[in-house]
Amino acid sequence: MRGTAVAAALGVVAVLGVQGIAGGSEAETEAQDQAANGPSAYSARAKETGPVKSEVHRLALTSKGRGEAALSRRATEPFGMLGVSWTDADAEVKGTIEARTRSAETGEWSDWIALEPYLRGLDGERAAERGSTEPVWVGRSDGAEVRVSDGAASGTLPAGLRLDMVDPIADGDADQGGDELNAEPAAFAAPAIDPGPPSTVPQPPVVTRAQWGADESLNNEGPIYLPDGRIKAVFVHHTTDADYDCAESAAIVRAIHVYHVKTNGWRDLGYNFLVDKCGTIFEGRQGGIDQPVQGAHTYGFNAESTSVSVIGDYTDVAASNAALTATARMAAYKLGQYGGDPAGTTTLVAGATQTNYHGQKFTAGQAYTFNQISGHRDGFNTQCPGMKLYPQLPSIRTLAAGPVQNLQVTSVGGGALPVDGAYESPGPVTLSWSTSTPSSLITRFELLVDGAPVTTTSGSARSASATLPAGTHTVAVKAVHQSGKTTVTSAVTVKVPFPKKFVPVTPERLMDTRVGLGVPQAKIGPGGVVTLQVAGKGDIPATGVGAVVLNVTATRVTGTSFVSVYPNGTTRTDASNLNVVEGQTVPNLVIVPVVNGKVDFYNNAYSIDLIADVTGYYTTGADGSTHVNIGPERVMDTRTGLGVPREKLGPADVATLQVAGVNGVPADGVTAVVLNVTATRVTGTSYISVYPDGTTRTAASNLNVVEGQTVPNLVIVPVVNGKVSFYNNANSVDLIADITGYYTSGSEGALHYNVGPKRLMDTRVGLGVPQEKLGAADVVTLKVAGVGGVPADASAVVLNVTATRVTGTSYISVYPDGTTRTAASNLNVVEGQTVPNLVIVPVVNGRVSFYNNAYSVDLIADITGYFVK
């Protein structure tokens, strides 16, 4: 907006006062007349005396086109009854008429009230009759809102629609001119205005006038708006300020405001918006951030434009990237309200005859082409917005219009390694990228696998991960600009080996942070990660390992936290494996992909010790077993003598369960069984180990219990002699075992595929299932086939199921959809607990079901893999 010696030499005064007058606005001329001659009847009521009587206040509805009309929510004169009427009593509103009101007593707004039209002629033929609705008593109110929609195909509404409000006890000093139609919002002391049109881009954060301390006593004329109500261009300016600290920005804006009003004599601050060098946006001229407010900024073109002024002098220095970004965001928002294109052009009608800085002549009343984001000098003879800022306008247009610029993949990792011009991965892959477009202008990024989005991140993210199924895939990143325009990187090729077989191993401890086994001897603090080498350790081979089966135990916990186990070198997702509170010892089985021969363990908060015992691994080699679904079915219960003698296990006691040849498990070829083992009626602190019959028990454990607990945990245990053994360390305990499947050396089983970890279900937010707790005996069914990378022909899925916000003692069963639920359970919970457990559950009809026995509970399910025959 700054004037310069160039303008002065050409005999043009580059001041806002002249520019404001030359905008071609009748509304502005009217407002100036009002300022000179006093307020109009619409802005102040004449005080009258006389008896108190009822009053009718009337407000015209605004046509929205397409057969819609409305009266925006606003403050009104007090009233107690309302109805909607229109000029022609023969006309009909075939759609809906609704209103709502604000209580003068409480300030609360009512629900929408349906207003029913009267039939014409209820009082005979009357020439003055208007069409109307039945009146509705609403109690003493001081605000109203109306919406009308015509249901007819023509999409038309009757003429003269208005809201009629009746005040049966009007104040004695109220305006008695009740027959006058006060249609202007300025007719009331605290008017509301219609919301501005929605924009195609988000509104950026703006420091409002109230927040920067505007002295509104300087502004007693009220705002004016563009004559056609449509912003067609944004003019960029700079101010007269030189160097400053961003902490002073609000004071600068206040000073400009006072100067424009007290010195220039304007109605208000001339700029619509101001931006400081740190990228903070300030509301300028009053009237509404989302409104087409007419400012005083670009002589001759104020009537069709808005303005953004960058605080500072940009004659000799360029504007900061933060200022350019903020200017672009504000310009894009305002143009987006009216279908504008920040990179496009428009035509503006000159409000004055003049010549701009470039020597282009304008004649008042003629139309001229402008960039929709232009500099002040494009419309007026001035150097503004500065010799250094003006060349930056193309960058502002690009930032505002999109698409995202210079998007490129910078690295491929997460287990993917370069091989012959492509990449190979056991499943997980992480792409990282860069772009020159600021994050604030980016709506989101999408990780594309074979052209379809599989992961969505925020505009500030610069990496994303996915686990790919077997085969050859193209992986790319798509950026979505706030304008909706998209950019896609060049794709990279990632090959994933084919499915894996299971190899059971004798349970063996691989990690213990308490003693420094496998990792350093130290607790894991908040946000801490430890990495465990698993390939080449114990009975696990150094190569060909796709995933490992670990029983992970958290102990010596100092506060509420959760633990996530995930492939090394990948981006951790929101999936978790254990949830703990202070003093707990909690185990859970984990099937986790192996990347770089390693897996990572993350602790969210406080400090914790972790233990990991391996029970098997999945391999891409020829050796190994396949999975067969069975059950879930109860195969052991020491309380009733099912499968083993009817007696508790005492200190150091061992119970041995025959699994081969019974309960649907074949007598031969069984290498391991999948059991959900539950300890209950515990008399004291102990741990339980489940291990192959006839082998030497190792230090590995599966459950950790204290007195009174009921604790479940999934176990995948090798079968020797057709049996498995259960060891109790101390005190006494009852044990229950439910079988869900087995592994066989034959060809009848299914192969395992890694996927995730990814959240598929969360009743707290309505992910996958309705957003509501499961009550007593409630069942929810989750679609898994064809979701989250699981194919339609999956025979079983591996889910980490977590129960939380539990209101009382209960148990959870996860079972195949459409089948009869058995007595088997997967989780046992008490009030206030958060309990996870791994579940391998058959898929029927593409779904699995979740049953809660009592009280209420929220459930979460994270998928880690699936099986396909």
Side-chain angles (χ1 to χ4, degrees), residues 708-725:
Q709 270 192 327
T710 296
V711 178
N713 197 22
L714 195 72
V715 173
I716 301 177
V717 58
V719 174
V720 174
N721 305 321
K723 303 172 184 176
V724 295
S725 295

Side-chain angles (χ1 to χ4, degrees), residues 330-352:
M330 199 69 238
Y333 169 69
K334 295 306 294 181
L335 291 173
Q337 288 185 287
Y338 305 94
D341 178 4
T345 59
T346 188
T347 57
L348 303 179
V349 176

Side-chain angles (χ1 to χ4, degrees), residues 767-834:
L767 175 64
V769 294
Q771 185 181 358
E772 58 182 344
K773 278 187 169 184
L774 274 73
D778 275 355
V779 175
V780 294
T781 298
L782 175 68
K783 180 175 176 57
V784 293
V787 177
V790 181
D793 59 347
S795 60
V797 287
V798 184
L799 301 174
N800 193 72
V801 180
T802 302
T804 189
R805 300 202 297 191
V806 182
T807 62
T809 301
S810 183
Y811 66 83
I812 313 300
S813 295
V814 188
Y815 59 101
D817 174 60
T819 66
T820 301
R821 182 178 57 84
T822 68
S825 63
N826 299 93
L827 294 94
N828 296 76
V829 294
V830 297
E831 183 178 359
Q833 271 192 331
T834 296

Side-chain angles (χ1 to χ4, degrees), residues 41-42 44-46 48 53 55-60 77 162-165 175-184 187-188:
Y42 291 116
R45 298 180 303 179
E48 297 188 19
K53 66 177 183 178
E55 234 177 31
V56 179
H57 309 296
R58 302 179 179 110
L59 291 173
E77 295 283 9
R162 73 188 189 200
L163 174 65
D164 289 19
M165 297 168 290
D175 179 12
Q176 301 298 310
D179 290 336
E180 294 297 322
L181 178 61
N182 294 333
E184 294 288 337
F188 303 103

